Amino acid sequence: MATSGPLASASVTDALLALVDAPAAKKPQGYNDLLNQIMASSTPDTLTTNLIAYVESILGDSVGIIASRPLLAHFVDQLRQVNDTDTRIDVGNRAVDILQPKVVSYEEQDTQVKLMLADSYEQNEDFTSSAKVLQAITLDSSQRAVSEDDKAKIWIRITRCYLEEDDHTNALTYLNRVKNVIYAVTDQTTRLQFQLSQARISDSQRNFLDASTSYLNISTETVVDEEERLQALSAAIICAVLAPAGPKRARQLARLYKDDRAIQVEEHSILENIFLDRLLKPAEIQAFEGKLAPHQKAVTSDGSTVLEKAVLEHNLLAASRLYSNISTQGLGVLLGVNAEKAEGYAAQMIEQGRLVGYIDQIDGLIFFEGESSRESHLEGQAKQAGVAAVGAKELRMWDANVQGLAEEVERVTTMIQTEHPDFYAANMVH
């Protein structure tokens, strides 16, 4: 009988050899008794080799499939009780290797070995290895029925393992598998983990509005611990702050600000200032930046960080509430950037429909629209419609001013004719 690595202790080897030749009826009890002896009397140095020798024996040719299945199931239960994770990993991997060519006959037991292995890897914080072991579990089988709940549990666990390693590509692959069956999943924990994984992936991909929505939904789940719900709410606020300024973000900020629990989290102050369109101060921004994850500090294409860009866009919107128009130079000073960059951000936000106004590049001025125009735009007007509204308003104002001036000139002329008819006749009549 072959073993891997150091040899098992002599007493175990002798006992296994005796069991090979024992009558079939006595083998199950004999193997169970020997396993109990191995667990009780093996030293740390011999436990791994003794257990490997044992599993090789029960999966050998001398023990039939019918007898070895319950023996292997009991073995896995005992192996889970071993405190040393390295021992569990070494023995578990050897069991998987032995089972690989005949896994069809041991699918349930093979699954339990791999789940135990995954637990052990995760205890060692080796999440990639855990994910790979879980990936090897047979989920589409003609030998046993695997429910959508069970499939989703495995896939969501793989997703979470990859997220722990910041491998968002593989995480998204398995999250999409869960997405295909989530409608049939009844387990509440799995559904919550799915929502959380969605939020984390959206967050990592800088889809901050989607992430904020997912985090907020999790924070309202009553089955979640209160502390964890507040953590989810905090994450929702952070993502909303980092999201691009505009109508969608404004609506999300409103939902968060109106949440009665928002005042309990540290991010309430910056949430309030953003919601109320107050200009953000450098000290407040610096304090908030210290709470961000590494991916949330990523540098964007224009050389600014995600937070810097979000703050600049917010302050630009705040400025649009304070001013009806402002020079690009003045806006740059207000935002802490040069005039060219300030104008570029304003132009981009106007083009994307996130800011209502127009730019006079000749005079170097940016004109912001009032609340009525902004509200109509937030309801979904296209950019061209917004521009048309701006032009129509300006034209109406011009017409009114011209009409008022003409009426004033006519009134003065009438007064001159009445009070000084000779002067009027000599100078005004042609």
Side-chain angles (χ1 to χ4, degrees), residues 340-374:
E340 182 180 358
K341 191 169 185 178
E343 181 182 332
Y345 268 89
Q348 183 182 53
M349 291 179 68
I350 291 171
E351 181 181 1
Q352 294 173 350
R354 295 187 287 130
L355 178 69
V356 183
Y358 64 95
I359 300 173
D360 184 342
Q361 290 185 309
I362 296 176
D363 293 332
L365 292 173
I366 299 177
F367 292 85
F368 303 114
E369 277 301 286
E371 287 300 320
S372 59
S373 295
R374 180 176 294 109

Side-chain angles (χ1 to χ4, degrees), residues 27-28 31-32 54 58 63 67-76:
K27 283 185 178 182
Y31 273 112
N32 284 331
Y54 179 88
I58 64 173
V63 183
S68 60
R69 282 173 178 165
L71 286 174
L72 182 57
H74 180 63
F75 172 76
V76 175

